[in-house]
Amino acid sequence: MARVIADPKSLPERTAPIPGATPPVYTLPYKDLGHPDEVDAFRKLVREIRHQPPARPK
Amino acid sequence: MSVLLLDTSAVSILFQPDHVLHQRSFEIVAGHQWFISFLTRGELLPWPEVNRWGSARREELNRHIDLCTTLFADEATCVIWASIVAQSRIAGGRSQQPMRGSPRRPVEWDLPLVTADHRDFEHLDALTLIPLTP
């Protein structure tokens, strides 16, 4: 089984950097004005494309 | 600071600030480096096309995706893919294509996977999951 954690702050610092990595993200420099339902519709579409069943309830 | 791999569900939720999971998700990933697999990038790019977004919103999505480093595949990725697919088959009941979301790369780089679809991946041994839940 995978290890499940709630907060990445509990993870140890990574010692070896990954080459070409973008900087850490502290703010989002834009604000999407779309409707939130679009996100769920898109996630559903992606699962259909992958031929995955609908996401199971959390 | 940690290095996180975001799957398609996580990136799309983080793009839309009014989504019910957005605020909690951003609290989890803020201050860390974001990575995505090339498959996640490939899944996100058609989103504007499918929904016929205008140019401004397309550009916003591109800026959002560019906050992430994209990890591309190589021979080692293929080997890990094979192992994970076998593990998923043995676990049974999982999709035959369980890895479309991204996990071969987090396993290879030892990156924790941030996802709202964590139940798809919880059977994988060599993976750390950070679920996005309300």
Side-chain angles (χ1 to χ4, degrees), chain A residues 1-9 11-14 17-40 42-43 45-47 49-53 55-58, chain B residues 1-4 8-9 12-19 22 26 28 30-35 43 47 53 57 60 63-64 67 69 100-101 109-112 116-120 122 124-125 127-131:
Chain A
M1 295 295 285
R3 180 171 65 125
V4 177
I5 63 170
D7 187 344
K9 292 184 184 70
L11 294 169
E13 288 275 324
R14 188 178 186 89
I18 298 179
T22 53
V25 179
Y26 293 97
T27 59
L28 297 176
Y30 45 79
K31 177 169 172 55
D32 179 53
L33 299 176
H35 194 280
D37 286 352
E38 282 185 274
V39 173
D40 296 324
F42 173 66
R43 290 173 58 200
L45 171 68
V46 167
R47 295 187 73 86
I49 292 170
R50 295 176 189 163
H51 302 290
Q52 282 183 314
R56 288 180 286 164
K58 305 298 182 277
Chain B
M1 180 194 72
S2 294
V3 179
L4 307 175
T8 306
S9 69
S12 60
I13 288 166
L14 288 165
F15 181 62
Q16 178 26 257
D18 295 325
H19 190 275
H22 176 90
F26 190 67
I28 290 172
H32 302 288
Q33 287 179 300
W34 299 358
F35 281 66
E43 287 176 339
W47 193 6
W53 291 357
R57 198 168 178 212
E60 281 194 346
R63 289 172 67 193
H64 182 62
L67 295 173
T69 305
R100 285 278 180 89
W109 286 93
D110 192 24
L111 302 181
D117 296 325
H118 54 96
R119 292 183 186 277
D120 290 341
E122 58 192 5
L124 297 172
D125 290 332
L127 185 64
T128 299
L129 278 176
I130 303 175

Side-chain angles (χ1 to χ4, degrees), chain B residues 31-75:
Chain B
H32 302 288
Q33 287 179 300
W34 299 358
F35 281 66
I36 57 173
S37 82
F38 69 99
L39 283 170
T40 290
R41 191 178 188 93
E43 287 176 339
L44 289 165
L45 290 178
W47 193 6
E49 193 73 31
V50 169
N51 290 282
R52 300 181 181 181
W53 291 357
S55 58
R57 198 168 178 212
R58 288 171 187 253
E59 184 55 33
E60 281 194 346
L61 180 64
N62 287 335
R63 289 172 67 193
H64 182 62
I65 294 172
D66 285 345
L67 295 173
C68 310
T69 305
T70 302
L71 296 171
F72 292 94
D74 56 18
E75 180 60 27

